[in-house]
Amino acid sequence: SMSHQLSTVTPKLFRDYSSEVVFETSSDDSLDAWHLHSFLSTVMPEGAIGISASYRVNCQLSAIAFSSLSRALVVRLTSGRLPLGGNEGERKRIIQARNLLQERILCSTDHQKYAFKMDRIAIALYLDVALRIVGAVDMLSVSLHNRRSLQALMNAMGGEFTLHKSNVKALFFSDEPGPVSDSDLVEQAWAACQVSNLPHMASRFRTLRRIGTNAISDEHMAVFAKISRDGELLDSLKPLVVKNDVVSGFTERMDNLTLTCNRYPTRIRTSTEQFLQIETQKGVRVQARAIRVQGRQAQIEVWGSLRGDKIRSVTTIGKADLTSAEAYRESVTLAILKGESGLLSNPFFKAIWLPDNPVCWPKSTHLQPKIPIYRGVLEVNASQERAIEKILSALDKDRVALIQGPPGTGKTTVITAAVISIISCPD
């Protein structure tokens, strides 16, 4: 248990507005109705509450902050499973505090909840503390830019001309892994509340569908929240520094040069959030950015002069952008939370993730029970042929086929033969 502490912070994010915010820090084994009332009394009727969250290195929720325009409440959350056995009193206090948060704020229809990354908060509330949220606005949804970019955040905060860009970047884009400080958490939540009250932004937020996890069954939430968290964990493992293996010879023209990478896994990629550091044999270091990449060849814009020296090393600094698949998973997760996706009722999703549920497949339009195999010039063995037959079968029991095999056993051959057969079939 921890004592309640009152502190102040003065966010300096907006050019023409700065105001002191009083905040209280509590923990989920000491929060009670009185402390919650102290915060909620500063929220206007039907007013907005800004929310921000801090996460541990393992992506689990470590603290959550709620803010009005003048006051904020930070709640530090117990890690892992609730204590059992001898700590029954502490367990009851934590459950009571979390129920209070859900009843008075998270699932209260008296207030709209605003956060820049409400999708991640909604998932973490469910996975880590078993709480739901309703009437929640994902503020980044108003921006057309990459959700993880500074530009998207600036758009969602009202536009670059109203903000201190360097302060916004320092607050929201820390390179340090792990939890955020309480004061930074309060500033982030306060910013969400402040922006929701800007007239030109309020009208944009009104058009967004609200997130409501109470409308999604436990069965579905458990599955797609896990998919989302697994994606976060994989993303958190991406290195911030990668040494690119490049061929020693290169072509230099003015302030551009073309480099060829030896190894595909460490190839140079185009990225909005990364830059390159080039070091020459004589120890000269210059920064650069990849402007065009084709296979292993990369055209580089150099911010400085190499002075005609040979390159010793090329290093990529910063985390790689999301792949197309990763970005699509994030967009589908957000759409599900807003009730804008039918994925959870898709028969393929149910067959893979909810195998005990009955699956209703759409009726096949094929006249034959399977598409005939067309090999062309491909040579296939007996096990490959069985796999191809499974893929081409129109029977419900074969709608989902997993092709597994060590490297070199012909998985690509199987897929190629199946695609050629489908294309060649007149039906």
Side-chain angles (χ1 to χ4, degrees):
S1 176
M2 63 173 288
S3 59
H4 293 255
Q5 307 160 9
L6 276 179
S7 309
T8 61
V9 65
T10 305
K12 291 184 170 57
L13 303 172
F14 298 90
R15 289 177 188 269
D16 58 354
Y17 187 76
S18 180
S19 173
E20 186 176 78
V21 182
V22 177
F23 69 94
E24 187 169 25
T25 302
S26 179
S27 61
D28 58 1
D29 68 342
S30 62
L31 182 70
D32 58 29
W34 188 86
H35 292 101
L36 209 53
H37 176 74
S38 299
F39 163 67
L40 287 172
S41 64
T42 68
V43 182
M44 301 288 286
E46 297 183 23
I49 294 176
I51 302 181
S52 63
S54 173
Y55 303 88
R56 298 182 178 90
V57 177
N58 63 2
C59 297
Q60 288 186 352
L61 203 57
S62 65
I64 188 163
F66 306 96
S67 183
S68 67
L69 293 176
S70 60
R71 188 167 175 121
L73 173 66
V74 178
V75 182
R76 294 180 188 163
L77 300 163
T78 304
S79 173
R81 294 185 178 276
L82 294 182
L84 295 168
N87 261 326
E88 190 57 34
E90 182 187 358
R91 179 183 168 83
K92 281 184 178 176
R93 287 196 303 274
I94 292 171
I95 291 172
Q96 285 174 351
R98 291 180 181 179
N99 286 343
L100 265 177
L101 283 178
Q102 181 161 278
E103 181 188 325
R104 301 292 303 280
I105 297 180
L106 299 173
C107 286
S108 167
T109 54
D110 295 339
H111 310 291
Q112 293 288 309
K113 277 72 70 175
Y114 288 81
F116 294 106
K117 294 182 179 176
M118 190 62 87
D119 53 344
R120 188 179 184 190
I121 291 173
I123 294 284
L125 282 169
Y126 176 82
L127 274 182
D128 302 328
V129 287
L131 297 179
R132 305 279 189 156
I133 190 168
V134 301
V137 180
D138 176 74
M139 300 170 78
L140 281 173
S141 292
V142 300
S143 178
L144 299 176
H145 291 268
N146 167 12
R147 284 176 63 84
R148 299 193 174 205
S149 68
L150 177 59
Q151 191 59 55
L153 179 64
M154 304 271 281
N155 286 355
M157 290 181 72
E160 193 166 329
F161 298 112
T162 67
L163 300 163
H164 291 297
K165 184 176 181 178
S166 59
N167 293 355
V168 171
K169 185 176 181 180
L171 178 64
F172 286 93
F173 288 85
S174 168
D175 289 332
E176 296 298 316
V180 179
S181 71
D182 290 346
S183 59
D184 283 358
L185 211 53
V186 168
E187 285 197 51
Q188 291 175 3
W190 174 85
C193 183
Q194 173 66 18
V195 172
S196 75
N197 281 278
L198 299 176
H200 73 288
M201 293 305 294
S203 57
R204 293 173 67 186
F205 294 133
R206 270 197 293 273
T207 65
L208 298 177
R209 283 281 291 268
R210 273 37 181 168
I211 285 174
T213 54
N214 63 331
I216 304 172
S217 71
D218 267 320
E219 187 177 46
H220 285 159
M221 275 297 296
V223 169
F224 99 91
K226 181 188 182 305
I227 294 170
S228 178
R229 174 61 58 79
D230 287 348
E232 280 181 47
L233 287 165
L234 287 171
D235 186 61
S236 72
L237 295 174
K238 289 181 181 177
L240 293 173
V241 178
V242 173
K243 189 174 183 300
N244 306 105
D245 298 297
V246 296
V247 177
S248 54
F250 63 91
T251 310
E252 186 174 7
R253 283 202 199 107
M254 299 293 286
D255 56 353
N256 280 5
L257 62 98
T258 302
L259 297 174
T260 304
C261 296
N262 284 326
R263 296 180 63 238
Y264 191 74
T266 60
R267 70 195 184 280
I268 295 168
R269 311 178 196 214
T270 54
S271 170
T272 54
E273 306 302 318
Q274 294 174 305
F275 67 90
L276 301 173
Q277 183 169 283
I278 300 175
E279 184 174 356
T280 70
Q281 297 283 12
K282 292 179 181 175
V284 175
R285 288 185 178 183
V286 294
Q287 289 188 358
R289 186 182 294 279
I291 51 177
R292 190 173 296 106
V293 174
Q294 192 165 9
R296 298 182 190 214
Q297 275 207 334
Q299 191 177 344
I300 310 297
E301 180 186 12
V302 182
W303 304 329
S305 172
L306 298 175
R307 302 174 195 167
D309 195 7
K310 287 185 177 180
I311 291 174
R312 174 189 289 165
S313 65
V314 179
T315 306
T316 298
I317 311 292
K319 188 178 283 190
D321 289 347
L322 295 181
T323 64
S324 298
E326 289 167 339
Y328 186 67
R329 177 177 54 217
E330 279 202 351
S331 68
V332 169
T333 297
L334 183 58
I336 291 171
L337 289 168
K338 291 180 181 178
E340 295 174 337
S341 169
L343 178 69
L344 299 180
S345 58
N346 181 287
F348 282 101
F349 178 89
K350 290 172 114 175
I352 295 167
W353 290 100
L354 302 167
D356 295 333
N357 283 19
V359 178
C360 183
W361 294 102
K363 193 168 177 59
S364 174
T365 55
H366 290 294
L367 300 176
Q368 306 169 57
K370 67 176 182 180
I371 296 169
I373 297 176
Y374 180 81
R375 293 174 187 77
V377 296
L378 295 170
E379 292 183 16
V380 296
N381 59 33
S383 71
Q384 290 169 341
E385 186 157 333
R386 286 196 299 274
I388 297 165
E389 284 181 345
K390 278 278 187 185
I391 294 173
L392 301 179
S393 168
L395 299 176
D396 283 353
K397 68 181 180 68
D398 296 329
R399 294 288 188 122
V400 177
L402 175 65
I403 310 300
Q404 187 271 334
T409 52
K411 295 184 295 296
T412 306
T413 301
V414 165
I415 294 167
T416 305
V419 171
I420 292 172
S421 300
I422 292 167
I423 293 169
S424 304
C425 182
D427 180 16

